[in-house]
């Protein structure tokens, strides 16, 4: 079966503004072969959900998986019992009740500190001055690396994100020097054994993760805890401030902020695509997928499926079914940090909305093949 739309797709098109292309694919080729990506791209909501839920047919456990090529096996690149062994020691810390108890006060204090420092200037660039620093601070706190310089942690994850993006675009895998620095710091934290260190706690659990395995999983948490949370906060601020009618609704009823965040996550997921590999020959939609084929799930495409979301390109904070989005994935690889990411985003936006006269000055729109966010979101408010 030919896939003419997929055949003509380019990496640039998917990086700059993928939504028109994704809409065409979803309507005519919901499972399409894209030579630019070297694999299949799934853009329909029901088929995307099916792929993510069926780990027996579509696995992450393949040597070609992007993060595995950079950092080795981790909770992100394993399935079955091995995945559970890596995931559960970390995941239990991020269950809803534990997340609220452990992080609410810290996130609130960090947001107050950051916004308080910005307030006198009357203007800010939210990605660099609020979203990024907050996400880094929370990950450092969660892992027990609070005494590590924030700029150092940021350099580690930026190098890893760049490596994953390069592999997704078809470039060679190059393990960044930053990963060696991260490994040394994590191993040091394990040896220190501080009571607040999740890394030391995990290493001591009966699951028996080696230090190399803990390092790999810590790197994965940096992806989820820093880059995608930074993107979630930045995208939500740009969406809300860029739609004055929706912003007015939230100002009138702050309870609508939760809906605004879910709608933003639906409209522009911070991680727009996830990879799987077919374990066996399988028919998905109208496509015959062969064992070993790369199957990429476009979360961005699935989240705007008109069969699920009415008028899907409209930002509507009162959308009742916004939570049907797939932005935190589905199945065994559902993002266990979703509750913490929501907490950070709600706290940050709540503080921003208390700034008098807050308004959007400039944003350049989200960009990115895998991790999507604006390069900057500039805002102003009344500083007096």
């Amino acid at each position: 079966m030919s896939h003419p739309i997929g055949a003509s797709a380019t990496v640039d098109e998917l990086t700059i503004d993928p939504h028109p292309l994704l809409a065409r694919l979803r309507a005519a080729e919901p499972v399409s072969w894209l030579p630019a990506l070297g694999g299949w791209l799934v853009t329909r909501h029901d088929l995307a959900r099916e792929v993510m839920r069926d780990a027996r047919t579509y696995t992450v456990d393949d040597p070609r998986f992007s993060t595995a090529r950079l950092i080795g096996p981790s909770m992100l690149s394993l399935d079955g019992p091995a995945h559970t062994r890596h995931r559960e020691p970390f995941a239990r810390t991020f269950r809803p009740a534990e997340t609220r108890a452990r992080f609410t006060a810290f996130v609130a204090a960090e947001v107050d500190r950051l916004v308080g420092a910005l307030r006198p200037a009357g203007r800010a660039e939210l990605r660099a001055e609020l979203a990024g620093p907050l996400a880094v601070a929370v990950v450092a706190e969660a892992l027990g690396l609070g005494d590590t310089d924030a700029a150092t942690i940021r350099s580690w994850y930026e190098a890893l994100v760049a490596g994953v993006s390069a592999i997704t675009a078809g470039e060679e895998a190059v393990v960044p020097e930053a990963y060696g620095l991260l490994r040394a710091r994590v191993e040091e934290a394990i040896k220190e054994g501080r009571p607040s260190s999740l890394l030391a706690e995990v290493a001591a659990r009966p699951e028996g993760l080696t230090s190399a395995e803990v390092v790999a999983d810590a790197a994965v948490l940096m992806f989820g805890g820093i880059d995608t949370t930074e993107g979630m906060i930045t995208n939500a601020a740009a969406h809300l401030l860029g739609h004055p009618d929706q912003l007015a609704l939230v100002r009138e009823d702050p309870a609508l902020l939760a809906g605004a965040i879910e709608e933003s996550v639906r409209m522009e997921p911070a991680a727009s695509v996830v990879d799987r590999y077919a374990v066996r020959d399988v028919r998905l939609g109208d496509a015959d997928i062969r064992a070993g084929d790369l199957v990429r799930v476009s979360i961005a495409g699935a989240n705007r499926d008109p069969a699920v979301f009415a008028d899907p390109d409209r930002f509507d904070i009162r959308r009742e079914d916004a939570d049907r989005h797939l932005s935190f994935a589905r199945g065994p690889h559902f993002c266990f940090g979703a509750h913490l990411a929501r907490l950070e985003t709600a706290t940050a936006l709540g503080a921003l909305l208390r700034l008098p006269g807050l308004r959007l000055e400039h944003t350049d729109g989200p960009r990115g093949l895998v991790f999507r966010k604006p390069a900057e979101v500039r805002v102003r408010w009344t500083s007096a």
Side-chain angles (χ1 to χ4, degrees), residues 297-338:
V297 174
S298 173
I299 294 174
N303 280 359
R304 297 198 188 195
D305 189 338
V308 179
F309 306 103
D311 196 4
D313 295 323
R314 179 169 58 92
F315 180 67
D316 179 8
I317 68 171
R318 286 177 165 165
R319 188 183 297 275
E320 293 183 356
D321 57 358
D323 60 359
R324 294 183 65 189
H325 66 73
L326 304 179
S327 299
F328 296 114
R330 288 290 188 273
H333 290 275
F334 179 82
C335 176
F336 59 66

Side-chain angles (χ1 to χ4, degrees), residues 20 78 81 99 101 125-126 150 187 192 229 243 255 268:
L78 294 167
T99 294
E125 196 289 290
L126 295 181
E187 290 174 347
E192 290 171 352
T229 302
H243 293 81
E268 200 67 70

Side-chain angles (χ1 to χ4, degrees), residues 178-263:
Y179 190 61
L181 301 175
L182 169 63
R183 179 189 301 113
R185 182 63 190 94
V186 170
E187 290 174 347
E188 181 182 0
I190 292 172
K191 291 178 182 177
E192 290 171 352
R194 296 180 182 178
S196 61
S197 172
L198 177 59
L199 299 172
E201 178 184 331
V202 167
R205 286 189 178 276
E207 287 86 350
L209 294 179
T210 67
S211 62
E213 290 171 330
V214 175
V215 171
D217 290 327
V220 166
L221 289 181
M222 285 189 176
F223 283 119
I226 298 178
D227 199 82
T228 55
T229 302
E230 177 188 294
M232 185 171 165
I233 296 169
T234 307
N235 287 333
H239 277 135
L240 193 54
L241 296 175
H243 293 81
D245 59 327
Q246 302 295 292
L247 176 61
L249 293 175
V250 174
R251 290 193 183 282
E252 292 172 9
D253 182 4
L256 291 174
L257 181 58
I261 292 170
E262 291 306 305
E263 178 69 341

Side-chain angles (χ1 to χ4, degrees), residues 48-49 53 96 106 108 132 146 156-157 168 183 214 270 277 282 313 316 320 328 346:
R49 191 175 64 247
R53 284 179 169 174
F106 178 84
W156 293 340
Y157 97 82
T168 304
R183 179 189 301 113
V214 175
Y277 294 87
V282 62
D313 295 323
D316 179 8
E320 293 183 356
F328 296 114

Side-chain angles (χ1 to χ4, degrees), residues 147-172:
D147 57 349
T148 304
D149 180 68
T152 298
I153 294 177
R154 189 177 185 90
S155 70
W156 293 340
Y157 97 82
E158 285 178 345
L160 294 171
V161 167
V164 169
S165 297
I167 292 171
T168 304
E171 301 174 21
E172 289 297 316

